[in-house]
Amino acid sequence: MDKAGVSKTYKLGDPITSDIIVQLKNKEGRSEQFYCHSSILTKKSKFFVDQLCRPNSTNCIELSASVFDYEYLNKLLGMLYLSGESLPDSFDSVRIALGVLQTATRLHCEEISKICIQYLEAVLWEDKEEEEILNAVSGLGPLATPLLARIQPVDISYTKDVFLSAIRFLMCTSRTSPQLDDLKTSMREQVDYMLVEDEDAPLVIVDDEVRAEMKLGISTIFSLFEKEMSSFPHEVAFRSEKAESKVLRILLDIEWMSSIVPKMDLMMEFISTWIDVSDNILRIIQDEKLDMIMWGLKRKLLEVVGKVLEAASCGTLILPVPARVQLLTTWLPYIRKMKPLLELKGSEELGFPYKMTDDLCHSIQSSTISMVLALPVQEQTDILADWIQADQVKFPDLSEALEVWCCRTKSTKRRLMVGFGEVGNAAFSL
């Protein structure tokens, strides 16, 4: 405490010069006594002015421990003895400032209440402290305006501005440096949170402007992905871990986009763009010079394909038949090829981290079966015939789809024969 700011005449707790005792009684009847000075108390507290102006007042003012906390009361009484210049340096925690504020409010110490507000407005709060601050300032009126400005609901237009800025940052083609990975991860989490629909409304309303920005982001990231993949023309680049790492970061952006575009009704846009670039991506990744390298990139491609197939098979997305067929016929051969290769690499190399997980395999297989069974009969027939003739028939295993196809084919033929029979009988009776 700054001694220069303390009154030279009086000191809190000095029984020799004290003319007033503030007594804090607890439930058991025990009391704590503070030796004070009426000239100090009445100068800065309307409560003590009222108490000492009563006709029957004594030199002892009793306060209840059910209303006042000893620690905060002691702190406040000490602050009454400080000059105004020394008051801002009185706090070292939100807890103390909040406790003193509540005490100052009850004792009508306006100057100290203002100092508490200024301190609380300038420091960080924890979530639990925010609720306590709200309760403490609810009856302070205009005095609490600086605090309330920090916790009042944000205007929806400002929220959208922050959201769009985050989307632009994440979709920016120049922000692929590994130094930004942690920042981008954090920003993705906040974008996800702003779109969450739980018991509270989402922080962002997805309107035409938001969708337009996300559409631009989809186009930008996919173009960058295709460009970086296409920049592997030389054998030196093929073996560059830096080049693979850069493409992997872009693929992570694409994987993240696949999780948020459904919340914006843009999954169709995402899958259509994925289909558009698929042939070129597969042409590059299956170059013979890449056969035994870039396993991480190859596995991540399978993970993204799994998410695309899952979205296309869930029934909530109306993807045209040609697009569904193209998606399956383009990626199924690659999936069949990579699964055994990754398993072989895993058996040869101890601790190989890029094997397909059971969850990924299950997701791809179940999505593929669902997509096949939702196609017209001729397209089902073509895909099943191609699967039977393939070298790798174990994954994805379409035997379930084949069984359903056989049952449907037979029942369809039976219905057709019954229909012909009815027509024949009708014609005979005529």
Side-chain angles (χ1 to χ4, degrees), residues 193-290:
Y193 181 74
M194 283 191 272
L195 291 171
V196 166
E197 292 188 35
D198 46 23
E199 62 272 12
D200 299 317
L203 294 177
V204 173
I205 296 175
V206 180
D207 57 15
D208 290 342
E209 184 180 4
V210 171
R211 289 191 184 90
E213 194 66 44
M214 196 62 201
K215 282 183 179 181
L216 179 61
I218 291 172
S219 175
T220 300
I221 289 299
F222 271 104
S223 295
L224 178 63
F225 179 50
E226 199 169 12
K227 176 184 175 183
E228 292 298 329
M229 287 289 291
S230 300
S231 66
F232 294 156
H234 307 297
E235 190 168 348
V236 174
F238 283 145
R239 301 186 180 278
S240 170
E241 291 184 5
K242 183 177 179 181
E244 180 184 8
S245 177
K246 186 174 183 179
V247 174
L248 262 174
R249 284 195 294 275
I250 300 170
L251 200 50
L252 281 172
D253 289 333
I254 293 175
E255 183 179 35
W256 169 73
M257 280 195 301
S258 71
S259 69
I260 67 164
V261 290
K263 301 171 186 175
M264 303 182 185
D265 295 327
L266 290 174
M267 198 64 192
M268 178 75 77
E269 187 87 15
F270 178 86
I271 292 181
S272 298
T273 309
W274 177 264
I275 292 173
D276 290 341
V277 303
S278 289
D279 285 335
N280 192 32
I281 298 303
L282 285 172
R283 177 185 60 79
I284 296 168
I285 200 66
Q286 295 186 102
D287 189 291
E288 61 181 9
K289 296 177 182 178
L290 288 172

Side-chain angles (χ1 to χ4, degrees), residues 172-402:
C172 181
T173 57
S174 63
R175 302 189 191 274
T176 57
S177 168
Q179 285 77 22
L180 295 174
D181 286 351
D182 290 342
L183 177 58
K184 291 180 73 172
T185 298
S186 175
M187 202 166 294
R188 288 186 194 115
E189 291 173 354
Q190 300 315 310
V191 168
D192 292 343
Y193 181 74
M194 283 191 272
L195 291 171
V196 166
E197 292 188 35
D198 46 23
E199 62 272 12
D200 299 317
L203 294 177
V204 173
I205 296 175
V206 180
D207 57 15
D208 290 342
E209 184 180 4
V210 171
R211 289 191 184 90
E213 194 66 44
M214 196 62 201
K215 282 183 179 181
L216 179 61
I218 291 172
S219 175
T220 300
I221 289 299
F222 271 104
S223 295
L224 178 63
F225 179 50
E226 199 169 12
K227 176 184 175 183
E228 292 298 329
M229 287 289 291
S230 300
S231 66
F232 294 156
H234 307 297
E235 190 168 348
V236 174
F238 283 145
R239 301 186 180 278
S240 170
E241 291 184 5
K242 183 177 179 181
E244 180 184 8
S245 177
K246 186 174 183 179
V247 174
L248 262 174
R249 284 195 294 275
I250 300 170
L251 200 50
L252 281 172
D253 289 333
I254 293 175
E255 183 179 35
W256 169 73
M257 280 195 301
S258 71
S259 69
I260 67 164
V261 290
K263 301 171 186 175
M264 303 182 185
D265 295 327
L266 290 174
M267 198 64 192
M268 178 75 77
E269 187 87 15
F270 178 86
I271 292 181
S272 298
T273 309
W274 177 264
I275 292 173
D276 290 341
V277 303
S278 289
D279 285 335
N280 192 32
I281 298 303
L282 285 172
R283 177 185 60 79
I284 296 168
I285 200 66
Q286 295 186 102
D287 189 291
E288 61 181 9
K289 296 177 182 178
L290 288 172
D291 279 351
M292 301 307 295
I293 57 175
M294 292 192 174
W295 299 108
L297 177 58
K298 293 170 182 176
R299 209 277 295 275
K300 180 55 67 176
L301 269 175
L302 291 173
E303 291 176 359
V304 178
V305 170
K307 292 182 182 298
V308 172
L309 292 174
E310 183 179 6
S313 67
C314 65
T316 58
L317 184 69
I318 305 176
L319 198 64
V321 169
R324 282 179 278 154
V325 171
Q326 184 178 354
L327 182 59
L328 287 170
T329 55
T330 300
W331 283 101
L332 280 179
Y334 179 74
I335 293 170
R336 293 191 194 111
K337 172 184 175 182
M338 288 310 304
K339 174 76 161 46
L341 282 178
L342 292 174
E343 288 181 345
L344 177 63
K345 187 68 177 176
S347 65
E348 295 174 346
E349 184 178 318
L350 185 65
F352 181 70
Y354 303 120
K355 291 175 64 176
M356 293 177 67
T357 64
D358 291 341
D359 288 343
L360 177 58
C361 292
H362 176 74
S363 174
I364 289 177
Q365 178 155 310
S366 61
S367 298
T368 302
I369 291 172
S370 296
M371 286 186 68
V372 170
L373 292 177
L375 291 173
V377 174
Q378 187 57 54
E379 282 73 9
Q380 289 186 42
T381 304
D382 294 341
I383 290 175
L384 289 171
D386 179 68
W387 165 66
I388 294 171
Q389 296 170 18
D391 293 333
Q392 300 294 335
V393 295
K394 290 184 178 180
F395 183 81
D397 183 354
L398 300 185
S399 55
E400 180 182 339
L402 178 62

Side-chain angles (χ1 to χ4, degrees), residues 27-307:
K27 293 179 181 179
E28 289 75 27
R30 295 193 301 271
S31 63
E32 296 284 351
Q33 293 183 335
F34 302 90
Y35 292 94
C36 304
H37 304 82
S38 59
S39 59
I40 299 293
L41 300 187
T42 55
K43 183 179 179 181
K44 297 184 178 180
S45 169
K46 293 180 181 179
F47 172 85
F48 289 118
V49 170
D50 294 340
Q51 291 292 314
L52 295 173
C53 287
R54 291 179 178 179
N56 59 346
S57 64
T58 66
N59 68 339
C60 181
I61 300 174
E62 292 187 0
L63 301 176
S64 172
S66 63
V67 178
F68 294 94
D69 180 89
Y70 172 81
E71 180 184 8
Y72 303 139
L73 179 62
N74 183 49
K75 181 73 174 178
L76 180 137
L77 292 174
M79 292 176 68
L80 293 179
Y81 284 75
L82 294 175
S83 65
E85 294 79 8
S86 301
L87 286 174
D89 299 325
S90 299
F91 303 115
D92 57 7
S93 72
V94 171
R95 182 185 67 83
I96 294 295
L98 186 56
V100 172
L101 173 62
Q102 292 170 317
T103 305
T105 301
R106 296 185 182 108
L107 296 179
H108 302 289
C109 303
E110 186 174 337
E111 182 183 14
I112 293 180
S113 294
K114 288 181 179 178
I115 294 297
C116 293
I117 294 288
Q118 290 172 8
Y119 174 84
L120 291 170
E121 190 273 333
V123 298
L124 293 175
W125 315 327
E126 295 181 4
D127 289 343
K128 61 180 180 179
E129 292 172 335
E130 183 170 307
E131 197 67 35
E132 294 173 1
I133 289 171
L134 269 176
N135 294 331
V137 304
S138 58
L140 296 183
L143 186 65
T145 300
L147 287 178
L148 296 176
R150 277 182 57 175
I151 51 184
Q152 65 182 353
V154 180
D155 186 282
I156 195 70
S157 62
Y158 298 150
T159 306
K160 186 170 79 170
D161 289 343
V162 172
F163 181 84
L164 291 175
S165 295
I167 290 294
R168 292 179 189 122
F169 177 89
L170 291 169
M171 301 295 124
C172 181
T173 57
S174 63
R175 302 189 191 274
T176 57
S177 168
Q179 285 77 22
L180 295 174
D181 286 351
D182 290 342
L183 177 58
K184 291 180 73 172
T185 298
S186 175
M187 202 166 294
R188 288 186 194 115
E189 291 173 354
Q190 300 315 310
V191 168
D192 292 343
Y193 181 74
M194 283 191 272
L195 291 171
V196 166
E197 292 188 35
D198 46 23
E199 62 272 12
D200 299 317
L203 294 177
V204 173
I205 296 175
V206 180
D207 57 15
D208 290 342
E209 184 180 4
V210 171
R211 289 191 184 90
E213 194 66 44
M214 196 62 201
K215 282 183 179 181
L216 179 61
I218 291 172
S219 175
T220 300
I221 289 299
F222 271 104
S223 295
L224 178 63
F225 179 50
E226 199 169 12
K227 176 184 175 183
E228 292 298 329
M229 287 289 291
S230 300
S231 66
F232 294 156
H234 307 297
E235 190 168 348
V236 174
F238 283 145
R239 301 186 180 278
S240 170
E241 291 184 5
K242 183 177 179 181
E244 180 184 8
S245 177
K246 186 174 183 179
V247 174
L248 262 174
R249 284 195 294 275
I250 300 170
L251 200 50
L252 281 172
D253 289 333
I254 293 175
E255 183 179 35
W256 169 73
M257 280 195 301
S258 71
S259 69
I260 67 164
V261 290
K263 301 171 186 175
M264 303 182 185
D265 295 327
L266 290 174
M267 198 64 192
M268 178 75 77
E269 187 87 15
F270 178 86
I271 292 181
S272 298
T273 309
W274 177 264
I275 292 173
D276 290 341
V277 303
S278 289
D279 285 335
N280 192 32
I281 298 303
L282 285 172
R283 177 185 60 79
I284 296 168
I285 200 66
Q286 295 186 102
D287 189 291
E288 61 181 9
K289 296 177 182 178
L290 288 172
D291 279 351
M292 301 307 295
I293 57 175
M294 292 192 174
W295 299 108
L297 177 58
K298 293 170 182 176
R299 209 277 295 275
K300 180 55 67 176
L301 269 175
L302 291 173
E303 291 176 359
V304 178
V305 170
K307 292 182 182 298

